[in-house]
Amino acid sequence: MIMVQIAPSMLAADFLHLEKDVDLVNRNADIFHLDIMDGIFVPNISYGFPVVEAIARNAMKTLDAHLMIINPENYVERFAKAGVHMLSFHLNATENPSKVLQQIKACGMKAGLAINPDIPVKELFPYLDQCDYLLIMSVFAGFGGQKFIEDTYSRVAELRQEIQRQGLDCLIEVDGGVSASNSGKLIASGADILVAGSAVFKAEDPAGVISAMKTV
Ligand code: DX5
Ligand code: ZN
């Protein structure tokens, strides 16, 4: 069995002292989660290539970019060139999700499909065999620091069951309001990767929080 992986969301990092927070992830966590927002798919704008490239130059762990942008197909190659290893986009952000999943893999990255809390999990089912991972939002995409939506446990369990039914080995990533208070139940429901922004970077002891989140 693979141990859960913790992916701190750099959206909650200290951008004036980014090196410090990159070091923290390098030392204590598994994956860098990079939230890319365009102000159109979500009502917020985050950061772009200069920041992704700066993190990539110093990262010793996997880079996971979560695209909250329309027409993600236009940027797939650019993220690969920037050094990203895992790339996800939202199911309803593009006309042809299968084509984008293929495009991501053709660029040598792991391909992920994301859904917001108001999209039924079963809408992912036709795409599972084309995905390396699925990103289940446990808040509505757009902002860090929101409250975890409790429905997520059953959504993760439903998805895990279908992945098993189809005989696949896709990973499940959960994103939004995740902390040491819900990590155990998420892992028990079938989550493999836990994204946490505020819970890690706003903590007094971020390394302690990361290790607490790994403890079931
Ligand atoms: C929200 C982002 C999340 C966010 C998580 O749209 O996708 O990755 O940064 O932040 P917290 O853990 O603070 O909810
Ligand atoms: Zn995210």
Side-chain angles (χ1 to χ4, degrees):
M1 203 190 100
I2 309 168
M3 254 245 292
V4 70
Q5 295 184 284
I6 307 298
S9 165
M10 302 311 285
L11 193 61
D14 176 354
F15 283 89
L16 199 55
H17 304 99
L18 198 49
E19 198 170 359
K20 174 177 66 75
D21 286 343
V22 168
D23 275 353
L24 175 88
V25 177
N26 277 336
R27 278 179 221 279
N28 303 285
D30 306 289
I31 295 173
F32 287 89
H33 185 82
L34 308 174
D35 288 301
I36 309 298
M37 305 177 184
D38 64 357
I40 300 169
F41 184 74
V42 288
N44 195 11
I45 294 176
S46 56
Y47 51 80
F49 292 107
V51 173
V52 173
E53 287 158 1
I55 294 174
R57 276 195 297 278
N58 293 278
M60 297 185 304
K61 300 286 169 84
T62 300
L63 289 190
D64 161 37
H66 170 199
L67 303 186
M68 287 159 272
I69 65 174
I70 57 161
N71 303 327
E73 57 275 12
N74 296 344
Y75 295 94
V76 169
E77 251 181 67
R78 187 101 192 258
F79 278 101
K81 286 203 178 106
V84 165
H85 309 100
M86 299 169 62
L87 192 65
S88 68
F89 61 96
H90 279 253
L91 177 65
N92 53 331
T94 184
E95 298 266 303
N96 191 341
S98 298
K99 208 170 155 190
V100 186
L101 290 165
Q102 265 174 26
Q103 198 188 352
I104 294 173
K105 290 184 189 176
C107 285
M109 297 179 287
K110 299 278 185 207
L113 201 49
I115 52 168
N116 261 325
D118 60 347
I119 297 185
V121 167
K122 64 175 184 311
E123 293 196 17
L124 291 173
F125 293 178
Y127 301 98
L128 296 183
D129 61 349
Q130 303 157 47
C131 294
D132 295 300
Y133 65 105
L134 291 312
L135 195 169
I136 298 295
M137 291 302 303
S138 35
V139 301
F140 281 87
F143 300 89
Q146 302 180 73
K147 193 177 173 298
F148 179 84
I149 298 172
E150 299 283 321
D151 265 9
T152 308
Y153 303 118
S154 60
R155 287 165 61 77
V156 169
E158 184 188 352
L159 179 58
R160 172 55 64 208
Q161 202 178 21
E162 179 64 16
I163 290 170
Q164 270 163 4
R165 198 191 65 78
Q166 293 192 26
L168 301 168
D169 57 4
C170 321
L171 299 181
I172 301 179
E173 178 173 27
V174 181
D175 183 8
V178 177
S179 69
S181 69
N182 48 34
S183 53
K185 210 168 159 189
L186 284 170
I187 296 165
S189 307
D192 304 287
I193 304 170
L194 300 179
V195 176
S198 332
V200 168
F201 289 112
K202 311 291 181 219
E204 274 192 25
D205 174 17
V209 169
I210 292 168
S211 78
M213 286 177 68
K214 287 195 177 228
T215 319
V216 189

